[in-house]
Amino acid sequence: MRKTVAIELVRSRRLLIGYFAGLGVVMAVFGARMPAVQSAAELSTGGLALVLLAAALGMVAGLQAGGRLARPARLPALLTGGAITLAAWLAVLGVCSSLESLFAAAFVFGVAHGVLDVAANASAVRCQDAHGRPIMGRLHASYSLGALLGAALAAATAHTSHPVLFTGVAVCAAAAAGATTALARTLASSGLKPVHHPAAQGPGERGDRSRPRVWLLGVLAAATLLGEGAAADWAAVHLHGLGATAATSAAAFGFYSAAMAAGRLVGDRLTARFGASAVVRAGAALAALGLTTGLAGSTIAFALFGWAAFGLGLSVTIPSLITAAGTGGPRAVATVAVTGYVGLLAGPALIGALATVTALPHALLLPALLAVTVATLAPKALERTTP
């Protein structure tokens, strides 16, 4: 019996690694080829912004729907269905040629993304609880590595039409999800019983602790993802302002992403040894110090170091926040994800607005200050959440 459960755990973990990596590939390909989509549909900058807004609104709707639907017995169907739907609408996006069709397709694409995100993270919390040790960092690292792979794929196929690339990636993703349908059923098996079951909580504990704590986790997720949005949209601009070449400027986000992936790969061991609170607190402090140092320096090397340190420091935060939210169930996971996504969306625009009234390096101190906030509040938000 124990051997059977152990095999189920290994299979479930590997399956989730595949799902997180595949999601990273799809989203990176989608983002990297947006200029081609804009050109093919002859969209203005405002038109492209509307398409991206539709995807964001769809994701918020999908996260909320996923939070309501995600129950252990439904997780396999949500994972498989979400992945196949996401893949299908990626292919549809490739053949859309008008603003109206792109807006509609991007919205459905976003809904599928949100549902799949909740299902994957709820499954990850369940699998981690069954393991009895942290594995969330490794799973989120697979997303980061998948995103790097997707970006590399998009770059390598730059001369291939985006409909061909979107369709090829969609076929591979849908086929992989379909082929693992039977394996996904292990996520609903009795061998993956969560440690934190609502029935085990004392009277009033769920209401007294869960709601305020979930919102605190969401605020910290927003603060963290604001930094991720800043790195994605402003790191290259920061390097360019220091006189870096186009290639070096583009490498800034690569340094950030690679450092984040590396941090997540080792983050589980650190969390198991020192606890989520201590690791997140130390990491956030490193992120704040590293980014501040990179912004204070006037050399390209300092800037690259700063963005890498920022990514490394924040690498364990989101996995730890999702783990903590998971004790409140899928709806809590969805709430934290939605709140965090607000930071991801609003952050780059807020930094841009600040940069218009001050210098960009000064505006980029905002993510560093928010990292200090994360370090300060981490002990209260993450108490007793390490498996």
Side-chain angles (χ1 to χ4, degrees):
M1 180 64 180
R2 289 183 179 179
K3 184 176 181 181
T4 301
V5 171
I7 292 174
E8 285 187 355
L9 288 176
V10 171
R11 288 177 176 174
S12 297
R13 184 178 71 245
R14 289 175 179 174
L15 176 67
L16 289 172
I17 286 173
Y19 266 101
F20 275 98
L23 181 57
V25 170
V26 169
M27 297 312 301
V29 167
F30 170 70
R33 296 306 296 270
M34 273 298 101
V37 173
Q38 179 183 16
S39 178
E42 299 181 349
L43 298 179
S44 64
T45 301
L48 180 60
L50 285 175
V51 172
L52 296 176
L53 175 62
L57 292 175
M59 184 177 183
V60 171
L63 287 168
Q64 293 175 331
R68 295 188 185 97
L69 295 172
R71 298 290 183 273
R74 297 174 182 170
L75 289 176
L78 289 177
L79 279 171
T80 304
I84 292 176
T85 304
L86 185 74
W89 284 92
L90 176 67
V92 171
L93 281 166
V95 298
C96 291
S97 58
S98 68
L99 174 59
E100 294 78 11
S101 61
L102 280 170
F103 187 93
F107 181 82
V108 180
F109 179 82
V111 170
H113 181 194
V115 170
L116 181 57
D117 187 275
V118 171
N121 278 297
S123 299
V125 170
R126 184 175 169 82
C127 189
Q128 178 172 256
D129 280 344
H131 273 76
R133 59 183 172 82
I135 63 168
M136 190 70 75
R138 191 183 314 171
L139 296 177
H140 280 243
S142 66
Y143 176 89
S144 300
L145 294 173
L148 289 175
L149 176 60
L153 178 62
T157 58
H159 298 294
T160 302
S161 66
H162 73 279
V164 172
L165 175 61
F166 282 12
T167 301
V169 171
V171 169
C172 292
T180 57
T181 299
L183 182 58
R185 295 194 186 101
T186 60
L187 295 170
S189 72
S190 59
L192 294 182
K193 289 181 179 178
V195 172
H196 305 285
H197 193 278
Q201 296 173 331
E205 182 179 355
R206 189 174 175 82
D208 294 340
R209 289 188 55 200
S210 180
R211 191 170 299 172
R213 187 159 169 264
V214 165
W215 283 113
L216 176 58
L217 293 169
V219 168
L220 296 186
T224 302
L225 291 179
L226 185 148
E228 185 168 328
D233 290 3
W234 290 106
V237 179
H238 173 223
L239 267 291
H240 182 72
L242 295 176
T245 64
T248 302
S249 297
F253 184 62
F255 271 67
Y256 169 89
S257 299
M260 177 164 281
R264 286 175 171 174
L265 287 172
V266 301
D268 290 332
R269 293 182 181 178
L270 295 175
T271 300
R273 181 171 181 179
F274 300 106
S277 175
V279 174
V280 169
R281 190 174 191 178
L286 170 64
L289 179 61
L291 182 58
T292 302
T293 301
L295 294 172
S298 57
T299 67
I300 295 171
F302 262 98
L304 289 173
F305 164 79
W307 286 111
F310 189 60
L312 180 63
L314 293 184
S315 61
V316 295
T317 305
I318 293 298
S320 296
L321 295 176
I322 293 296
T323 295
T327 64
R331 287 197 181 187
V333 172
T335 298
V336 172
V338 169
T339 310
Y341 199 60
V342 170
L344 183 65
L345 290 175
L350 179 57
I351 289 171
L354 290 174
T356 61
V357 296
T358 185
L360 178 60
H362 295 160
L364 287 171
L365 285 173
L366 175 61
L369 291 173
L370 290 176
V372 172
T373 302
V374 172
T376 302
L377 296 178
K380 183 176 181 180
L382 298 173
E383 56 183 352
R384 297 187 299 276
T385 59
T386 302

